[in-house]
Amino acid sequence: QITSSIRDTQSFIAHKRHDSNPFFPSITSVKIGGKHSKNMSSLEEQLKDAVKAKGAARRGNLKNFNTILMKFPKIEAGFSDCKDVFKAIDDDNSNSIELSEMKAATQKLGLSFSEDKMEQIFNLADFDSDKHITFREFIVALTMLHLLSGVEFSATNEQHPTFVQAVEVVVDAFVFFDKNGDGTIQHEELNEAMAGNASNQEIAARFKEMDFKNSGVIQFIQFLYVFEDWVGMDEDE
């Protein structure tokens, strides 16, 4: 049954990506621009602590790499479920939103963040530093809001329960790779987690893809953004 589920997942992702190797897409499909500091900001440290706290309670939910693969369709469906929220605040239909539009979205979700923190979250999610965030970057921002709020904010739970479930699975996946529980993924941990499922060359490519700050470790938001590509998320879906 497990083998059948993995094959179903492979077919799903291959269909979504039109890729012969769906679990390890070409790293050129993830484009990151802008300048990125190697040092963590105070907000990144808060997010790291939030992920560590949530992860500590959920550690062990995913037993092996294959269980992560089988969750890909659920994650993709959960994130795609928020497309209507994105479209509703994308007033000019540009397929990207500005900071002011992001603030309006948080108000609709019943979240209370300071102007400064909201700008910090927006800027962290704006990976190419163009003052706009795309749908995939929006998912990163929304996930940060969810994790940093300290509560399961009701509007998202009620209207988009599959999004909340998807975030939980991604946290589980991050925790699976973060073997020592320090809130980051090191190259050795990725090697250990993916041993037998990918070659050393593929693992090195995956690490380089996620470590686009060249800091030597992978933070949660980097992991999440690239993970969206792994599960077959497209900006124009």
Side-chain angles (χ1 to χ4, degrees):
Q1 184 177 2
I2 293 176
T3 301
S4 176
S5 297
I6 294 172
R7 287 174 179 168
D8 289 344
T9 303
Q10 288 175 327
S11 297
F12 170 83
I13 300 299
H15 172 72
K16 295 289 294 182
R17 297 196 52 82
H18 306 290
D19 197 321
S20 59
N21 190 359
F23 298 141
F24 303 104
S26 168
I27 60 172
T28 59
S29 63
V30 179
K31 297 179 180 179
I32 305 294
K35 296 180 179 179
H36 301 276
S37 171
K38 292 185 179 182
N39 299 320
M40 282 193 186
S41 66
S42 61
L43 184 63
E44 287 174 306
E45 290 286 359
Q46 291 174 40
L47 182 64
K48 177 182 174 180
D49 290 341
V51 172
K52 284 172 63 177
K54 184 174 283 290
R58 301 181 62 84
R59 184 168 293 278
N61 281 2
L62 299 179
K63 302 298 183 183
N64 53 57
F65 189 71
N66 284 338
T67 59
I68 297 176
L69 302 185
M70 288 188 290
K71 298 289 187 180
F72 277 14
K74 181 177 182 179
I75 298 168
E76 193 274 342
F79 288 159
S80 293
D81 187 44
C82 289
K83 192 68 172 181
D84 61 328
V85 177
F86 183 79
K87 288 182 176 179
I89 58 178
D90 179 20
D91 294 331
D92 57 1
N93 297 314
S94 63
N95 291 321
S96 64
I97 61 174
E98 300 176 357
L99 177 59
S100 59
E101 293 172 312
M102 184 70 192
K103 290 177 180 177
T106 59
Q107 292 174 355
K108 290 180 181 178
L109 290 171
L111 294 173
S112 178
F113 283 89
S114 68
E115 292 275 329
D116 180 59
K117 178 154 288 187
M118 182 58 60
E119 186 171 355
Q120 290 180 54
I121 290 172
F122 183 91
N123 289 337
L124 274 181
D126 180 18
F127 291 112
D128 57 4
S129 303
D130 66 350
K131 305 300 181 183
H132 294 77
I133 58 175
T134 62
F135 177 59
R136 281 179 52 201
E137 292 172 328
F138 173 70
I139 290 297
V140 173
L142 198 59
T143 300
M144 283 193 280
L145 290 167
H146 175 71
L147 292 173
L148 292 172
S149 66
V151 296
E152 308 295 341
F153 49 91
S154 59
T156 299
N157 268 334
E158 294 172 1
Q159 299 173 25
H160 300 280
T162 56
F163 166 77
V164 175
Q165 293 166 11
V167 171
E168 303 294 326
V169 175
V170 174
V171 170
D172 288 344
F174 183 84
V175 168
F176 173 79
F177 289 111
D178 177 20
K179 298 299 184 183
N180 66 6
D182 71 348
T184 64
I185 300 173
Q186 301 174 30
H187 194 282
E188 295 78 10
E189 293 175 313
L190 197 65
N191 273 332
E192 180 182 347
M194 296 180 70
N197 294 282
S199 67
N200 290 337
Q201 185 177 6
E202 285 175 322
I203 294 172
R206 293 314 105 203
F207 189 87
K208 181 178 180 181
E209 176 185 23
M210 290 186 282
D211 182 25
F212 50 78
K213 292 177 68 172
N214 295 316
S215 63
V217 296
I218 300 164
Q219 299 175 35
F220 178 74
I221 59 171
Q222 297 167 279
F223 176 81
L224 171 59
Y225 184 73
V226 176
F227 204 78
E228 288 183 76
D229 192 67
W230 287 14
V231 302
M233 291 290 297
D234 293 319
E235 298 288 8
D236 57 355
E237 287 185 326

